[in-house]
Structures are given as C-alpha cells and as structure tokens.
Amino acid sequence: SGHHSLFNLDISEDISKKPVEVPLVRMDEIIPPDQRINLLKIDAEGAELEVVESGASLIMSNPDIALIVEFGPSHLRRRGHTPKQWLKTFTKLGLNYQAINASSGALEAWSIEQLEQVDSVNLFFSRNKSQAWSRLTAGSLKLLLLVQAVMQKFVLNYFMQWAKRWLIALEEQTALINA
C-alpha cells in the first residue's frame, strides 16, 4: 500500500523506511518479439514513459494492441514533462487516446486542458483502426475489472516470488559478511 516510485515522490508524511533497490528489466528483453499482446496496463507512479519505451518494439509489432496508462499531472511535473510531451511518446507509436470514466468505464474524448485538471485518470490508447476500440466498447467495464483482477493476482504472485529470491540473496550476503 502507499505510493512507490522510481523517482522522488512529493509526500508530506514521515517516511521512516529506507528506499529499496529493485532490478529493472525492459519488456522488449523478457517478452518474445513474436508474442501477441492484446492489452498492457501501465501504472508506474511516474515511470510510465520508461515502461512504454522499454516495450516500444513490442508495441509496434502488435497492431491491435491496447494500452491502459495512468496519466497523473503531478508525476509529469516531477519528471519535467508537459502533457503534450508525454502524449507525443504515444502518438509516435501511432496510438491515440480516450479517457476512461472512473465511474462508468466509458471512453470519453478529453482535451489536454481537461487532463491537466485531474489528479489522475486512466487513458486507453490504441491505433485508429485497431480492433481494440470495438473490443473495449463492447464491454468496457467488465473488461477493465477482469484485467484488473488478473493483473493483481499476477503481480502479487510475481512479487512474492521476487521477494523470496531477494530475501534468500540478502540472507546469503549477510552470512558472508558475518563469516
């Protein structure tokens, strides 16, 4: 729980725990180039552009791919990006966006000015002629809830496996230091 980021957060609460370094990998390095991808959900607390750039060839090789990406103006300001610069990363990949209404799951056309007025909103990106638009509008809320549930289970399982490996490595390093 709480906020975690690769970059400094503007948090006023007392943070008593030290930062933890985690290994970073590029999507293009771990996902086979011929892997069909229908949907990527990206919520990386300010590192969304780095995630997208790490999977650029994967995104380009999947013409019907859809991305759901958190847009947070405070994250952009912290990183020194303007909303126009941020969105340009996606347009360079041929992707267009619509905002996802948090209450209904409906897709809505939002201007940059509207985006700048919210704390955060999920944006749906895909190419103009992609089948992703029709797949999502056919049952947007159901799809989003399903994706969220699957992702939470996958992320939790992945994190637990990573945490076990990290703890084992930490114990081994501690044993070496104490020896």
Side-chain angles (χ1 to χ4, degrees):
S1 67
H3 294 279
H4 308 283
S5 179
L6 295 174
F7 312 108
N8 291 331
L9 294 171
D10 302 325
I11 298 177
S12 59
E13 63 191 53
D14 177 37
I15 300 176
S16 58
K17 295 184 179 181
K18 293 181 182 179
V20 176
E21 287 192 31
V22 295
L24 301 177
V25 295
R26 295 179 53 80
M27 281 193 293
D28 286 342
E29 292 173 0
I30 61 171
I31 300 173
D34 59 344
Q35 175 71 46
R36 181 176 168 210
I37 305 290
N38 290 322
L39 178 66
L40 288 176
K41 169 64 168 103
I42 304 170
D43 180 350
E45 298 300 322
E48 287 77 11
L49 294 184
E50 287 80 359
V51 172
V52 168
E53 290 166 0
S54 85
S57 64
L58 184 70
I59 293 168
M60 292 304 293
S61 67
N62 281 277
D64 285 323
I65 195 169
L67 284 73
I68 298 174
V69 184
E70 181 189 29
F71 175 89
S74 65
H75 297 314
L76 272 63
R77 284 190 298 275
R78 241 184 25 251
R79 299 289 297 130
H81 298 299
T82 67
K84 283 184 182 181
Q85 292 168 323
W86 192 86
L87 289 168
K88 189 174 184 174
T89 299
F90 298 91
T91 56
K92 283 181 181 177
L93 295 169
L95 302 168
N96 299 301
Y97 78 92
Q98 288 196 351
I100 301 172
N101 182 303
S103 300
S104 68
L107 296 177
E108 301 172 348
W110 280 26
S111 67
I112 290 178
E113 292 77 20
Q114 287 173 291
L115 291 173
E116 292 174 324
Q117 300 304 311
V118 297
D119 289 330
S120 131
V121 63
N122 280 307
L123 301 180
F124 179 85
F125 288 91
S126 197
R127 294 179 177 87
N128 275 339
K129 296 182 180 181
S130 170
Q131 294 177 7
W133 294 102
S134 60
R135 284 193 310 255
L136 187 67
T137 38
S140 61
L141 187 55
K142 286 183 180 179
L143 177 61
L144 286 175
L145 293 175
L146 175 63
V147 167
Q148 182 178 4
V150 168
M151 283 187 55
Q152 285 174 340
K153 184 175 182 176
F154 172 76
V155 168
L156 180 60
N157 287 338
Y158 178 80
F159 175 74
M160 294 303 290
Q161 291 171 6
W162 174 84
K164 276 179 154 176
R165 289 192 304 267
W166 185 79
L167 286 172
I168 290 168
L170 183 62
E171 287 173 358
E172 290 171 353
Q173 288 177 350
T174 304
L176 288 173
I177 292 170
N178 292 334

